[in-house]
Amino acid sequence: MPEEIEVPTEHLHEHMHEAAEESRSSWIARVALSSAILAVLAAVTALLASHHSDEAILDEMRATDKWAFFQAKSIKLAILETDLNDRKVDNRPIPADAGDQQKKYNQEKDGIQAEAEALQDSSELHMGHHVWYARGVTAFQIAIAIGAISVLAKRPKLWLLSLVVGGIGSAFFLMGWFV
């Protein structure tokens, strides 16, 4: 009787198991690397979101101060004009520099108004950047979480979803930068 040829299946099984472990560990390493990159992007994006939020608040406070100053000048002008009207009604003399004072107050008001409006515009611009960056931070955090879930659940397709959500975060980052 001819001898049976024995196929070393144990060796093949061991080799296949090692290859599977290597592919799994390299996949997990890629998830870890992509998560680290997403974490860095999230940190930078959060820093920029915070910066623009702070600048928006500061500019809005400066604008509020300018509008208060504008109101003060308006009140001074109104008092001056009331005094001039009362003098006309009572036939009292009008100071020679009254017209110059009115002109000065109006010019000052115009300058203050322009500064206040510019600060409000700057505040809105900063807030617009902040909103895009905040969305980016959220997307990066979700992407990192999905990446972690993909490792825990051993689902490489979830890691691909993580990368897609990270790409969306990158798009939000770019919108914050350029819009």
Side-chain angles (χ1 to χ4, degrees):
M1 210 167 148
E3 267 186 42
E4 274 188 27
I5 300 176
E6 214 174 286
V7 179
T9 56
E10 288 179 13
H11 177 69
L12 287 175
H13 181 69
E14 188 177 300
H15 181 68
M16 287 172 48
H17 185 66
E18 286 174 10
E21 280 298 317
E22 281 180 26
S23 71
R24 232 183 278 151
S25 64
S26 66
W27 169 75
I28 292 172
R30 288 193 304 270
V31 173
L33 178 62
S34 67
S35 293
I37 291 168
L38 290 169
V40 168
L41 290 171
V44 170
T45 306
L47 182 67
L48 289 169
S50 177
H51 165 74
H52 282 285
S53 174
D54 293 347
E55 288 299 318
I57 291 167
L58 289 173
D59 282 349
E60 189 61 36
M61 289 170 47
R62 290 179 190 122
T64 300
D65 289 346
K66 290 293 179 183
W67 283 119
F69 192 40
F70 176 84
Q71 289 298 323
K73 290 293 180 180
S74 296
I75 291 168
K76 285 183 178 184
L77 179 60
I79 291 170
L80 176 64
E81 288 174 344
T82 300
D83 180 51
L84 293 176
N85 286 337
D86 289 347
R87 286 175 180 265
K88 286 179 187 176
V89 169
D90 295 342
N91 288 326
R92 290 184 294 155
I94 296 175
D97 67 340
D100 291 339
Q101 277 186 314
Q102 279 181 305
K103 189 175 185 180
K104 177 185 163 196
Y105 285 141
N106 279 318
Q107 287 175 344
E108 288 175 346
K109 276 179 44 182
D110 291 343
I112 294 166
Q113 181 178 6
E115 289 175 21
E117 288 171 350
L119 286 166
Q120 281 182 316
D121 290 345
S122 176
S123 175
E124 290 174 13
L125 183 65
H126 281 295
M127 192 50 73
H129 288 289
H130 164 75
V131 167
W132 285 111
Y133 287 133
R135 289 174 182 163
V137 171
T138 302
F140 288 134
Q141 289 173 340
I142 291 169
I144 292 166
I146 293 171
I149 291 168
S150 74
V151 170
L152 292 172
K154 298 177 182 172
R155 303 272 192 240
K157 289 183 181 178
L158 281 178
W159 174 55
L160 296 176
L161 177 62
S162 166
L163 295 177
V164 169
V165 174
I168 292 169
S170 297
F172 286 146
F173 174 84
L174 292 173
M175 292 296 288
W177 192 268
F178 291 112
V179 172

